[in-house]
């Protein structure tokens, strides 16, 4: 059964409780916003628990003995193996291992790898590279995507619009590893414009090539969202009203159209930042960058379950928090969202 929201009295009319209508209106809006935020946080916790358990189960199902892989060709003494398996609860059932991990996670402990080094310490030294790479790709994607979408929206149905649509779809259809290897060959080896691997050249030179390869992957989506928003806004009644009032086209597009067309772009771009952090893992491997991606590859190869799960959990948590933050920002910009 749907409960209709309470009717708000006109502005300036005193309420029976003694408060003014604007004050009561602000109180109701704040209550709706807080309820919306609480519902989103509850959904975030449920999704986080489900996804982390799924990842833990996948790591649990990996073949091979992680303790045996520590010593290589030389077997460890039986007492050492027993001590390590007891310390990391490797003989416990899946659900008990997951509860041990979850208990540490709730206390801010991401666990330790099989050499005894804290996972948080290993990640701390790798995060700057991954964050800089993802933010550089995010900036490239947002600026180029919005500019192309704005041009396509203003030239709706013309040759420029079709050319931008075709070009962005073709570029985005190329697999990221093919794009990265081709960029390394032509821009790095053949023409010598940019370094092909490593971070010794520093930002931005060392990050331009990998960030561009990462950015083009979702360039078509950003430009199409922006184009659709611009086209819808230009055909809406409020734009006709603004034109009837004599506002210039530059002011209508630059202030009113961009603001409304940018809401879905902001939503997508913020959520996509989480995808870029995950996608950076592949690009870091191709361009030999010492970020979170390199740490993940090494952990998977060595069967270091705590490291794999902690890196994946951190990336998922960032993705969920960005999604919740964007949802709250959108509810502030558009009150209809928090009424749903």
């Amino acid at each position: 059964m749907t409960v209709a929201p309470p009717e708000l009295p006109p502005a300036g009319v005193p309420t029976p409780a003694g408060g003014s209508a604007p004050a009561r209106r602000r109180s109701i809006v704040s209550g709706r916003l807080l309820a919306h935020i609480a519902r989103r946080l509850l959904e975030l916790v449920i999704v986080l628990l489900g996804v982390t358990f799924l990842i833990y189960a996948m790591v649990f199902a990996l073949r091979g003995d992680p303790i045996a892989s520590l010593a290589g060709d030389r077997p460890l003494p039986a007492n050492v193996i027993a001590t390590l398996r007891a310390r990391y609860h490797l003989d416990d059932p899946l659900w008990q291992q997951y509860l041990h991990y979850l208990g540490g996670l709730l206390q801010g402990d991401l666990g330790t790898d099989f050499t005894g080094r804290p996972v948080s310490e290993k990640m701390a030294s790798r995060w700057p590279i991954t964050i800089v790479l993802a933010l550089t790709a995010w900036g490239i994607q947002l600026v180029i995507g919005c500019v192309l979408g704005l041009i396509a929206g203003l030239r709706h149905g013309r040759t420029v619009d079709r050319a931008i649509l075709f070009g962005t779809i073709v570029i985005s259809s190329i697999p990221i590893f093919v794009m990265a290897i081709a960029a390394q060959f032509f821009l790095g080896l053949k023409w010598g414009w940019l370094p092909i691997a490593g971070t010794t050249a520093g930002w931005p030179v060392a990050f331009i090539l990998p960030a561009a390869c990462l950015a083009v992957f979702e360039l078509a989506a950003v430009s199409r969202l922006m184009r659709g928003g611009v086209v819808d806004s230009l055909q809406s009644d409020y734009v006709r009203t603004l034109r009837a009032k004599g506002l210039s086209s530059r002011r209508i597009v630059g202030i009113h159209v961009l603001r409304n067309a940018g809401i879905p772009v902001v939503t997508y771009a913020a959520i996509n930042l989480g995808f870029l952090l995950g996608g950076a893992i592949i690009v870091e491997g191709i361009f030999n960058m010492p970020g979170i991606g390199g740490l993940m590859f090494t952990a998977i190869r060595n069967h270091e379950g705590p490291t794999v799960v902690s890196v994946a959990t951190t990336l998922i948590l960032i993705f969920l928090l960005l999604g919740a933050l964007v949802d709250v920002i959108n509810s502030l910009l558009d009150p209809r969202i928090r009424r749903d």
Side-chain angles (χ1 to χ4, degrees):
M1 178 178 178
T2 302
V3 179
E7 293 293 336
L8 298 177
V13 177
T15 63
S20 63
R24 184 165 178 260
R25 186 188 301 273
R26 285 194 296 271
S27 175
I28 292 175
V29 170
S30 300
R32 287 172 177 168
L33 181 60
L34 290 176
H36 183 75
I37 294 174
R39 187 169 62 250
R40 292 291 295 140
L41 290 177
L42 179 62
E43 294 171 356
L44 185 149
V45 171
I46 294 173
V47 172
L48 181 65
L49 290 176
V51 174
T52 53
F53 180 77
L54 182 61
I55 294 173
Y56 208 94
M58 294 172 66
V59 175
F60 184 85
L62 286 176
R63 292 185 177 181
D65 186 354
I67 300 300
S69 65
L70 286 176
D73 296 334
R74 299 179 59 184
L76 292 172
N79 60 336
V80 174
I81 294 177
T83 302
L84 289 175
R85 296 190 72 85
R87 177 185 298 175
Y88 295 102
H89 310 286
L90 296 179
D91 295 324
D92 293 345
L94 170 63
W95 65 272
Q96 286 188 3
Q97 291 190 36
Y98 178 69
L99 288 181
H100 282 300
Y101 173 76
L102 199 60
L105 187 64
L106 292 176
Q107 299 174 17
D109 181 14
L110 295 177
T112 58
D113 63 9
F114 293 136
T115 63
R117 187 181 178 190
V119 176
S120 57
E121 182 180 314
K122 297 170 65 176
M123 293 176 63
S125 61
R126 305 274 190 144
W127 268 120
I129 299 294
T130 301
I131 291 175
V132 170
L133 175 62
L135 288 178
T136 305
W138 191 69
I140 293 174
Q141 184 182 88
L142 200 59
V143 171
I144 297 179
C146 286
V147 170
L148 291 178
L150 178 61
I151 295 173
L154 295 176
R155 300 289 185 270
H156 176 219
R158 300 180 184 177
T159 304
V160 175
D161 181 22
R162 298 189 184 94
I164 291 175
L165 172 63
F166 179 77
T168 52
I169 288 178
V170 168
I171 292 177
S172 301
S173 300
I174 301 174
I176 191 169
F177 63 91
V178 175
M179 175 75 71
I181 294 173
Q184 283 179 318
F185 176 76
F186 288 105
L187 301 179
L189 289 176
K190 191 171 183 178
W191 298 329
W193 292 353
L194 294 167
I196 61 172
T199 57
T200 53
W203 189 88
V205 177
F207 290 82
I208 291 177
L209 205 53
C213 294
L214 194 58
V216 297
F217 189 60
E218 296 290 340
L219 191 61
V222 175
S223 63
R224 300 313 290 173
L225 277 174
M226 190 67 188
R227 173 194 175 276
V230 170
V231 172
D232 290 342
S233 297
L234 290 175
Q235 295 175 351
S236 61
D237 292 336
Y238 78 90
V239 170
R240 297 190 187 95
T241 304
L242 293 173
R243 284 175 175 159
K245 289 183 176 179
L247 267 70
S248 65
S249 297
R250 179 175 297 180
R251 187 170 182 182
I252 292 174
V253 173
I255 298 178
H256 301 281
V257 171
L258 282 181
R259 178 183 176 186
N260 289 283
I263 291 178
V265 177
V266 169
T267 304
Y268 183 82
I271 294 175
N272 196 43
L273 182 58
F275 281 116
L276 290 176
L277 287 171
I281 292 175
I282 301 174
V283 174
E284 286 175 5
I286 297 173
F287 286 91
N288 194 25
M289 304 180 77
I292 290 294
L295 177 63
M296 179 70 103
F297 276 122
T298 304
I300 293 174
R301 187 171 57 247
N302 295 335
H303 287 193
E304 291 182 2
T307 304
V308 175
V309 176
S310 296
V311 171
T313 300
T314 305
L315 292 174
I316 292 168
L317 185 60
I318 292 173
F319 176 78
L320 293 176
L321 287 175
L322 285 174
L325 178 63
V326 169
D327 193 58
V328 172
I329 293 175
N330 280 340
S331 66
L332 290 173
L333 295 175
D334 189 351
R336 294 172 298 178
I337 295 176
R338 57 176 177 262
R339 291 174 186 165
D340 294 338

